[in-house]
Every structure is written in C-alpha cells, then in structure tokens.
Amino acid sequence: MPSPRLLRWIPILFVLLWATGFIGAKFALPYAEPFTVLAIRMYITLGVFLILIRVYRPKWPSWQGALHSMLVGSLVHAAYLGGVFAAINAGMAAGLTSLLVGLQPILTALIAWLWMGNQISRKQMTGLMLGIFGVAAVLLLGKTNALALQFNTVSLLFALTALFGITVGTLLQKRFCAKIDLLTGTFYQYLANALVMSLLALLFETREIDWQPQFIAALLWLVFGLSLSAILLLMLMIREGEATKVAAYFYLTPPVTALLAWVLFDERLTVWGIAGIGLTTYGVYLVIRNPVRPLKQNRP
C-alpha cells in the first residue's frame, strides 16, 4: 500500500509518462508507418494484459459491456492514437500535437455547456477563451521562422480527429463503462484498437518495418511505459481515491512534451509559441479546477 506522500507524486508520474507518448511516436515513425506501429504495439499490449488478467483474475464484462468497451476503444485509442501518430507522421511537431489534443478538457466542458445544459462559471469561460486564443497564437503566429512549431492541413486534420476521438470516447466511457473492471475493459478497448489499426494498415500502408534498435526501443517504451505503466498508475489512483484529481494534472502535458521535444528534436518555440502554450495551459487549468455542474431544475 503506497504511502499518502507517494500517492501525491503518482499523478505527476502518470502525466510525465503520458507526455513521452508523443516523443515515442517521433522516435518510432521513421522506421514504420503509423498504423503499422500502432497495430504491433496493440498486439504486444494485448499479450501483456492477458498475462495480467490471468494473474489477477478480474471479472469479465457482459457482451454488452464488451461492445461498449470496444466502442470506447475505437475512439479513445484508435481515433486518438491513430490521429496523433498520423499527425506527427504527416509533419506536425510533437509539441504542437500534444497542445491540440490537450484541449480535450476544454472541448468536454464546452460540449457539456452547449448540449447538456451544464452551468459554466466565469473562470471556465475565461479558460475557454484563453485556450482558444493560445492555440490560435501557436497556429497563426508560432511559425515565424523555420525552427518554429510546424504543421500542415493534413496533419492538422489528423490532430483534430485525435482530439474529438478522445473527447467523445471519454464521455462514452463515463456513460457506459464506469462499472466495468479496468483490466478486462481496457483489454477490449485495446482489442478494438488492434483490429482498427490492422485494417487501416492493410488498406493504406505498405506494412514495411525497418527493425532498427531505435525502433525496437521506442516500441517497447510505448508498450511498457505507456500502454502498461500509465494504465496501471491510473488504476492505482482510482483504487486509492485519486482518480478524480488526476485531470488537474493533464494541463502539464503540453509544456512537458514541448520541453522534451526541444531537448530531443530541437523543436524550438518562438515567443508567440511559448506564449500560446502558456495561455492554453492556463485555460485548461481554469476549466479543470472548476468542473461544470448541471443546471438546477425547478421542481414542479
């Protein structure tokens, strides 16, 4: 049983691991196409999860629960991971990709406000506006020189696919999969992702792989550092009552990724790029720290 002091550091470690996923993609993609990388990653991950399930013997969901988990997996993993990898492969910088998909809490709050009738505070509205202005600053003003964050129309569409995939998938996860065991539920999510990635690789890619040491190392990190370690940390936080707090740390992901990309790939930021990331980060923080609440209904 981890000590309370150790538990306070676990969400931060989770976010650091999450941020390295964008870096792992950057390292792996020179040696294989994005959907091929993800298909291999998912099949290895499924094998690891089968071992964990055999050891811990969790309860398997019903067929309905399995289908719900696979639907969520198609969005949270297939659309999100596929969009992220495809965006980076199409030329978008890892830091900018992280920034765009990091808007997920803002988009979720906006959906809850517009279509679900939830209340939104002034701080949240401020956060929404800051997030939009921050991304606009990066996209429109952050490319003032050749070393600034890079993107093109195709990579931008892939990144937006990832953003909407994880947003809708998260909402469906909360609605339909809250009571499903995390190990078996995640197994079905990864299974759906593996099937989708295999189909996309068969249809659109050559499936050629250059098995260089860097590719193998990146693939192993994506499996054990992200698909395994990050999800186990998430399960630990939920078990210890920290799951409701983990979202407050996600606003750290874009600057951490941008810093790692700068150190490893020389993805330098302009002043506008740094300012845009700062605005977006603070905007997400304001939205997360003030969760939306349902509108009070008048009693008849």
Side-chain angles (χ1 to χ4, degrees):
M1 182 71 67
S3 65
R5 180 176 297 179
L6 179 60
L7 283 174
R8 286 197 293 266
W9 291 97
I10 286 177
I12 297 177
L13 178 59
F14 173 76
V15 171
L16 290 174
L17 287 173
W18 191 263
T20 62
F22 302 92
I23 306 302
K26 191 85 171 182
F27 274 115
L29 288 174
Y31 305 98
E33 293 160 297
F35 302 139
T36 299
V37 174
L38 286 171
I40 297 173
R41 171 183 172 181
M42 287 304 107
Y43 284 118
I44 298 175
T45 302
L46 285 172
V48 174
F49 264 76
L50 281 176
I51 295 173
L52 292 175
I53 290 171
R54 183 173 179 82
V55 171
Y56 291 102
R57 300 184 182 279
K59 181 181 178 182
W60 288 94
S62 64
W63 281 108
Q64 185 179 29
L67 290 175
H68 284 153
S69 293
M70 293 185 73
L71 174 61
V72 170
S74 299
L75 294 168
V76 172
H77 298 296
Y80 170 72
L81 290 176
V84 166
F85 274 60
I88 294 175
N89 187 64
M92 180 173 285
L96 179 56
T97 308
S98 173
L99 175 67
L100 289 176
V101 299
L103 289 172
Q104 184 260 337
I106 287 181
L107 183 59
T108 301
L110 190 60
I111 291 174
W113 175 46
L114 293 176
W115 286 288
M116 298 181 184
N118 288 1
Q119 290 180 327
I120 187 167
S121 66
R122 291 183 179 179
K123 287 186 177 180
Q124 281 185 304
M125 181 59 71
T126 302
L128 293 174
M129 298 306 297
L130 287 178
I132 293 172
F133 286 139
V135 171
V138 174
L139 294 179
L140 301 178
L141 304 174
K143 298 178 64 178
T144 56
N145 61 56
L147 295 177
L149 292 178
Q150 299 175 356
F151 70 95
N152 52 55
T153 302
V154 174
S155 64
L156 182 60
L157 289 175
F158 280 131
L160 292 177
T161 298
L163 171 60
F164 280 90
I166 194 171
T167 301
V168 177
T170 300
L171 292 172
L172 293 177
Q173 168 75 16
K174 293 179 180 179
R175 175 65 176 85
F176 295 109
C177 304
K179 296 182 179 180
I180 297 176
D181 181 89
L182 283 172
L183 268 179
T184 53
T186 304
F187 174 84
Y188 278 115
Q189 291 182 17
Y190 284 151
L191 177 61
N193 191 13
L195 295 175
V196 172
M197 291 300 112
S198 297
L199 178 61
L200 292 175
L202 286 171
L203 292 176
F204 301 111
E205 297 181 347
T206 64
R207 301 173 301 285
E208 295 180 358
I209 303 172
D210 185 8
W211 292 96
Q212 295 295 323
Q214 179 173 310
F215 173 76
I216 296 174
L219 183 63
L220 291 176
W221 175 253
L222 289 171
V223 171
F224 292 99
L226 275 295
S227 298
L228 180 61
S229 297
I231 195 63
L232 289 179
L233 285 176
L234 177 61
M235 287 189 291
L236 178 61
M237 288 186 289
I238 291 175
R239 190 189 72 182
E240 300 300 329
E242 293 292 321
T244 57
K245 299 179 182 179
V246 68
Y249 294 87
F250 271 96
Y251 75 96
L252 293 172
T253 303
V256 170
T257 304
L259 178 62
L260 291 173
W262 171 62
V263 172
L264 296 173
F265 305 117
D266 198 28
E267 288 186 3
R268 299 181 186 179
L269 299 175
T270 65
V271 173
W272 283 108
I274 296 172
I277 287 179
L279 280 176
T280 304
T281 296
Y282 187 61
V284 173
Y285 172 78
L286 288 178
V287 172
I288 290 175
R289 283 294 299 269
N290 300 273
V292 290
R293 295 171 296 177
L295 288 170
K296 296 180 179 180
Q297 297 181 352
N298 296 326
R299 295 182 179 178

